[in-house]
């Protein structure tokens, strides 16, 4: 089991290094950092000095090592455009994105599993069929359309919910939260629905098909032959076996919530990292772009690590050492 | 009024099971009838697809759609159970009828400890407390031959070998003390070296408890050693049923003769049945008259038009027109009867 976790950690590390290399390369290939920082009118003298000071004359491997070392300590350099440390820009925007993404993930997972289980158990019921048909729409409708549709209905027509921004936030240390005010909560509703909807439908369809598969397994038949009540079979014997494959796939998808957040944040003018990144792209603000890239990779690695841990917790076959047996 | 002991534990009467498919209704069981007495082991043999597993599923009420019981009845200790409501039938399963499946690798839920699965089953059917159920589970594991049961009970299924897992499956099937056990090829998936032990275990446990058994197997050696009576099935029908020494040593039905002729003569060697020339018809293409007529060496005119009923011949019952004729012909019936084709 320890070996299994160590292997996941190693894999995560390799992914992070690969992404770090891409992020590092952006500095060299997307514009000239010296020109970007000093502007076109700087003297040759100034440029040479800055080039030296930034270490751009050093061998590339050394520069990369320095980049990785700095990034590991949370130092991503100075924003070209805003002249502030990238790390503080990110910290400022982080709470908005994390609250949006985590709530969307919970919304998608909890409702997705519940609806998927329902659709599997009541396979032939009309509600289950309706839910399945609606989920097809969810799979095929682009995120921004859902967002715009919600804004039209709930902000423009009904005027129940605000169409943009986070509403009032409360500061807890450096963290700002929208969860403690009425306007903050109201502002979260539509972005969370928009961001979570696609994942919700995917998870639901996955849970349904996995559960139907598990319900055909021999051990379910044997449980029935022993007179175990049907509810117990569904929620104890089948559900846990269903969740193992679901969690692996859903975990990766939920990591993707952060990436999809760019669209949602743009539609709702949500002051999060996605919006920061879109701005950075417009102004070729390379340090911000590369830091965002690293952040997204970090989230993916972190979720897959958490997924691996949950996997170990759910599946005894992994705990006793031989991961191959779980297949 | 019959005495308690005379009522069969299980009585199957004209049981008919159909699968409704897109290409029409397939009759997997056609008026199957047999009794199992208290403490008796009934062996069930027959080619693959003969309907042995469907019979077991129908008795325990686990025919999955699109299958359904289309006729007949299943009577357990005098009480009809095939038409019980779902919840009442659930209480029969495990408590009064147990079932042992073929593959112990897939019969146990991989995510729960043996203890959890045993205690769950015991507590579903009894009023025992968790601690009492656990004590009973440990005693059962000891009985089925799991070494150090106090310790092993908290293991997961994958921590046992195939043979040990089948012992756990047996413990699970017996843990609420059913009167009747269906064992559907309980050793087919196991290593040859442990097959005999598992059969001996089932036999011993059921004998000690007076539990009746329906033992489905392809191994005629096991039938000869274990069963009291044997039913030979063919194309969803019972071809012959009777005491094991009669049916195995001197079968009457031409299909049973072919089957028994196929027993390997080498002692103790477990072999699958050797095929009789030809194959069993698919359910969608069962010929009119006797289902065995395309393969039967003794076929005659009546076999093509009339389906033979199960009729009593001495201690046994046979579904073959050869035996449905005046008594004088019975003794000569091993050869072709005198009736012109
Ligand atoms: N779900 C189903 N749908 C359609 N036909 C089925 C279904 N289940 C079983 N059958 C049919 O019922 C017949 C009897 O099957 P059954 O599994 O009882 O055979 P068996 O005697 O147990 O054979 P084996 O020795 O291979 O286990 C077969 O012809 C099979 O095709
Ligand atoms: S009824 Fe006719 S075809 Fe069928 S087994 Fe008897 S002799 Fe053969
Ligand atoms: Mg079978």
């Amino acid at each position: 089991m320890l070996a299994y976790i160590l292997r996941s950690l190693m894999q995560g590390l390799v992914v992070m290094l690969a992404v770090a290399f891409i992020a590092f390369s952006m500095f060299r290939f997307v514009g000239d950092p010296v020109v970007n920082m000093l502007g076109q009118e700087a003297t040759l003298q100034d440029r040479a000095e800055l080039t030296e000071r930034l270490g751009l004359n050093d061998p590339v491997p050394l520069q990369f090592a320095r980049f990785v070392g700095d990034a590991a300590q949370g130092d991503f350099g100075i924003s070209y455009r805003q002249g502030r440390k990238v790390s503080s820009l990110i910290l400022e925007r982080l709470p908005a994105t994390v609250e949006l993404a985590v709530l969307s993930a919970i919304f998608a997972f909890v409702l997705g599993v519940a609806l998927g289980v329902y659709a599997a158990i009541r396979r032939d019921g009309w509600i289950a069929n309706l839910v399945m048909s609606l989920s097809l729409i969810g799979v095929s409708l682009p995120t921004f359309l859902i967002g715009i549709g919600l804004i039209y209905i709930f902000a423009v027509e009904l005027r129940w919910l605000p169409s943009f921004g986070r509403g009032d936030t409360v500061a807890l240390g450096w963290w700002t939260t929208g969860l403690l005010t009425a306007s903050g909560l109201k502002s979260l509703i539509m972005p969370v629905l928009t961001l979570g909807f696609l994942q919700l439908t995917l998870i639901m369809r996955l849970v349904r098909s996995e559960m139907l598969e598990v319900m055909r397994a021999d051990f379910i038949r044997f449980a029935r032959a022993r007179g175990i009540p049907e509810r117990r079979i569904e929620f104890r014997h089948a559900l846990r076996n269903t969740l193992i494959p679901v969690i692996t796939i859903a975990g990766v998808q939920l990591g993707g919530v952060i990436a999809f957040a760019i669209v949602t944040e743009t539609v709702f003018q949500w002051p999060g990292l996605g919006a920061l990144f879109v701005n950075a792209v417009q102004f070729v603000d390379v340090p911000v772009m590369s830091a965002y890239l690293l952040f997204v990779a970090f989230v993916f690695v972190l979720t897959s690590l958490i997924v691996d841990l949950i996997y170990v917790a759910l599946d005894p076959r992994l705990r006793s050492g031989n991961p191959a047996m779980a297949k | 009024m019959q005495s308690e002991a005379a009522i069969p534990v299980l009585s199957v009467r004209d049981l008919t099971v159909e699968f409704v498919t897109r290409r029409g209704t397939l009759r997997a069981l056609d008026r199957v009838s047999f009794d199992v007495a208290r403490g008796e082991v009934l062996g069930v043999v027959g080619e693959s697809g003969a309907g042995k597993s469907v019979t077991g599923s129908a008795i325990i009420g686990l025919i999955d759609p699109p299958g359904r019981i289309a006729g007949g009845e299943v009577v357990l200790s005098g009480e009809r159970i095939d038409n019980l409501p779902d919840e009442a039938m659930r209480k029969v399963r495990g408590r009064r009828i147990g079932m042992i499946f073929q593959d112990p690798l897939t019969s146990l839920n991989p995510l729960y400890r043996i203890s959890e699965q045993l205690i769950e089953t015991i507590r579903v059917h009894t009023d025992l407390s968790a601690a009492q159920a656990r004590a009973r589970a440990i005693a059962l594991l000891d009985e089925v031959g799991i070494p150090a049961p106090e310790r092993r009970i908290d293991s997961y299924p994958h921590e046992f070998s195939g043979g040990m897992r089948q012992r756990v499956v047996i413990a699970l099937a017996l843990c609420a003390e059913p009167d009747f056990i269906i064992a559907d090829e309980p050793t087919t998936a196991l290593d040859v070296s442990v097959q005999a032990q598992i059969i001996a275990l089932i036999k011993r446990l059921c004998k000690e408890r007076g539990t009746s058994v329906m033992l489905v197997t392809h191994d005629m050696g096991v039938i000869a050693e274990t069963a009291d009576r044997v039913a030979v099935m063919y194309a969803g029908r019972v071809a012959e049923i009777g005491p094991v020494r009669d049916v195995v040593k001197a079968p009457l039905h031409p299909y049973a003769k072919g089957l028994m002729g196929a027993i390997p003569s080498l002692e103790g060697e477990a072999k699958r049945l050797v095929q009789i020339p030809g194959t069993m018809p698919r359910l969608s293409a069962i010929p009119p008259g006797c289902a065995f007529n395309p393969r039967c060496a003794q076929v005659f005119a009546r076999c093509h038009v009339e389906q033979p009923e199960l009729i009593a011949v001495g201690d046994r019952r046979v579904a073959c027109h050869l035996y449905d004729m005046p008594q004088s012909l019975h003794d000569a019936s091993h050869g072709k009867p005198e009736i012109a084709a």
Side-chain angles (χ1 to χ4, degrees):
Chain A
M1 171 179 134
L2 203 64
Y4 173 75
I5 291 172
L6 275 179
R7 211 182 53 195
S8 318
L9 271 174
M10 284 306 298
Q11 280 169 354
L13 213 61
V14 170
V15 170
M16 284 310 293
L17 276 177
V19 174
F21 186 73
I22 297 171
F24 168 73
S25 310
M26 288 204 314
F27 283 95
R28 306 191 61 84
F29 299 119
V30 185
D32 180 342
V34 176
V35 172
N36 271 322
M37 288 173 88
L38 292 178
Q40 295 292 347
E41 289 85 41
T43 62
L44 270 179
Q45 171 83 26
D46 287 344
R47 288 186 189 191
E49 261 175 29
L50 186 63
T51 307
E52 185 60 33
R53 196 148 51 79
L54 291 175
L56 295 176
N57 293 329
D58 294 337
V60 174
L62 183 63
Q63 288 185 40
F64 180 57
R66 199 184 297 131
F67 173 80
V68 171
D70 287 348
Q73 291 168 41
D75 179 0
F76 302 99
I78 309 285
S79 160
Y80 292 164
R81 197 174 116 73
Q82 309 200 31
R84 295 174 53 200
K85 282 167 82 180
V86 175
S87 53
S88 37
L89 286 176
I90 291 205
L91 282 189
E92 255 171 44
R93 300 294 198 110
L94 189 66
T97 294
V98 167
E99 286 185 355
L100 173 61
V102 168
L103 284 180
S104 302
I106 294 174
F107 161 70
F109 191 78
V110 171
L111 207 60
V113 169
L115 286 176
V117 167
Y118 181 84
I121 294 176
R122 291 284 152 76
R123 167 167 43 152
D124 301 318
W126 67 270
I127 299 183
N129 284 329
L130 184 73
V131 167
M132 287 305 289
S133 314
L134 286 180
S135 77
L136 263 185
I137 302 176
V139 172
S140 49
L141 216 59
T143 303
F144 72 90
L145 264 187
I146 297 175
I148 290 170
L150 286 176
I151 289 177
Y152 178 74
I153 298 171
F154 294 103
V156 178
E157 288 294 324
L158 297 172
R159 296 173 180 277
W160 288 351
L161 300 169
S163 65
F164 66 90
R166 280 185 91 186
D168 300 328
T169 58
V170 176
L172 305 169
W174 62 270
W175 188 275
T176 57
T177 179
L179 297 175
L180 298 177
T181 64
S183 79
L185 287 173
K186 267 179 148 178
S187 306
L188 271 164
I189 294 175
M190 287 198 295
V192 165
L193 291 182
T194 306
L195 184 53
F197 196 65
L198 174 67
Q199 318 294 330
L200 162 74
T201 54
L202 291 175
I203 291 174
M204 186 192 108
R205 300 183 72 85
L206 183 69
V207 166
R208 188 189 103 103
S209 66
E210 286 292 339
M211 181 127 176
L212 287 176
E213 185 73 34
V214 170
M215 291 300 281
R216 280 195 293 272
D218 272 2
F219 63 83
I220 295 295
R221 240 180 112 67
F222 188 39
R224 289 208 176 106
R226 279 180 282 144
I228 309 293
E230 198 59 26
R231 282 279 162 275
R232 235 182 128 78
I233 291 180
E234 283 157 355
F235 288 99
R236 207 174 127 84
H237 291 271
L239 185 56
R240 195 159 160 192
N241 279 279
T242 303
L243 286 183
I244 285 182
V246 166
I247 277 178
T248 326
I249 301 173
V252 176
Q253 277 178 13
L254 294 179
V257 160
I258 294 278
F260 283 112
I262 293 177
V263 177
T264 306
E265 289 187 3
T266 308
V267 171
F268 291 95
Q269 298 172 41
W270 193 256
L273 289 171
L276 179 70
F277 175 71
V278 171
N279 266 320
V281 171
Q282 273 163 7
F283 296 99
V284 200
D285 197 344
V286 178
V288 174
M289 285 158 65
S290 88
Y292 181 77
L293 199 64
L294 283 171
F295 166 77
V296 169
F298 180 71
V299 168
F300 266 98
V301 166
L302 195 68
T303 29
S304 80
L305 205 65
I306 293 173
V307 163
D308 284 346
L309 288 176
I310 296 178
Y311 211 100
V312 170
L314 278 181
D315 195 335
R317 288 165 294 191
L318 287 172
R319 259 173 278 155
S320 53
N322 186 356
M325 287 194 65
K327 294 295 150 202
Chain B
M1 217 25 232
Q2 281 174 302
S3 75
E4 174 78 10
I7 301 177
V9 166
L10 184 82
S11 182
V12 174
R13 283 289 161 266
D14 292 327
L15 187 62
T16 302
V17 170
E18 290 175 346
F19 288 93
V20 181
T21 69
R22 237 168 290 149
R23 272 187 271 131
T25 301
L26 301 178
R27 185 164 284 193
L29 292 189
D30 189 0
R31 288 179 292 128
V32 166
S33 299
F34 59 85
D35 287 351
V36 183
R38 194 159 298 277
E40 180 179 69
V41 177
L42 174 74
V44 179
V45 296
E47 257 161 283
S48 188
K52 307 180 295 293
S53 299
V54 170
T55 305
S57 304
I59 291 170
I60 204 167
L62 285 179
I63 297 268
D64 292 321
R68 64 191 178 91
I69 295 183
E73 41 189 72
V74 179
V75 179
L76 184 70
S77 306
E79 182 201 354
R80 188 165 172 193
I81 58 166
D82 58 282
N83 56 0
L84 283 180
D86 288 351
E87 179 60 12
M89 191 59 206
R90 176 185 71 70
K91 288 182 177 149
V92 169
R93 287 198 284 269
R95 179 71 190 84
R96 298 178 59 198
I97 304 179
M99 190 151 185
I100 299 168
F101 284 65
Q102 181 171 339
D103 188 354
L105 297 185
T106 56
S107 311
L108 298 169
N109 190 330
L111 303 186
Y112 290 102
R113 297 170 197 278
I114 301 304
S115 51
E116 295 170 292
Q117 304 190 38
L118 275 162
I119 292 169
E120 172 184 43
T121 312
I122 294 171
R123 297 197 68 194
V124 160
H125 293 293
T126 67
D127 297 330
L128 297 186
S129 70
Q132 288 168 319
R134 188 182 167 86
R136 177 149 166 194
I138 291 172
L140 256 166
L141 287 181
D142 191 36
E143 260 191 278
V144 297
I146 304 274
E150 313 79 15
R151 199 163 45 76
R152 296 292 273 152
I153 191 173
D154 288 315
S155 305
Y156 287 95
H158 71 272
E159 295 168 312
F160 291 90
S161 69
M164 284 294 154
R165 265 192 245 193
Q166 194 63 316
R167 287 170 193 267
V168 173
V169 168
I170 292 169
L172 274 165
L174 289 175
C175 68
E177 316 239 292
D179 313 317
F180 179 70
I181 288 274
I182 300 165
D184 192 350
E185 305 193 39
T187 59
T188 310
L190 297 179
D191 205 87
V192 181
S193 58
V194 298
Q195 289 185 351
Q197 292 170 22
I198 294 295
I199 292 290
L201 176 70
I202 294 173
K203 192 177 175 179
R204 175 174 62 81
L205 289 175
C206 293
K207 192 163 198 157
E208 283 168 9
R209 291 152 200 259
T211 311
S212 311
V213 185
M214 173 177 145
L215 176 65
V216 177
T217 177
H218 285 270
D219 188 334
M220 295 307 296
V222 165
I223 292 287
E225 270 171 42
T226 315
D228 300 304
R229 291 194 313 134
V230 59
V232 178
M233 290 189 69
Y234 187 80
R237 301 160 197 196
V238 174
E240 178 167 351
I241 179 168
V244 78
R245 56 179 187 284
D246 298 347
V247 178
V248 171
K249 293 246 172 62
L252 294 179
H253 193 283
Y255 175 65
K257 285 181 194 169
L259 264 186
M260 303 310 160
I263 306 178
S265 49
L266 278 178
E267 261 191 23
E269 188 178 333
K271 249 195 202 158
R272 288 215 138 208
L273 303 173
V274 177
Q275 291 281 312
I276 299 159
T279 52
M280 197 170 67
R282 275 176 299 122
L283 293 181
S284 52
I286 292 182
C290 174
F292 188 57
N293 67 34
R295 301 168 76 184
C296 183
Q298 289 159 279
V299 59
F300 57 103
R302 191 177 170 195
C303 308
H304 292 290
V305 289
E306 190 184 333
Q307 187 178 334
E309 299 293 322
L310 262 182
I311 48 172
V313 179
D315 283 348
R316 53 185 134 170
R317 282 144 61 79
V318 184
C320 170
H321 292 314
L322 290 175
Y323 303 94
D324 185 18
M325 47 187 76
Q327 187 60 42
S328 59
L329 284 173
H330 272 157
D331 306 321
S333 65
H334 288 278
K336 201 162 180 165
E338 309 299 340
I339 307 166

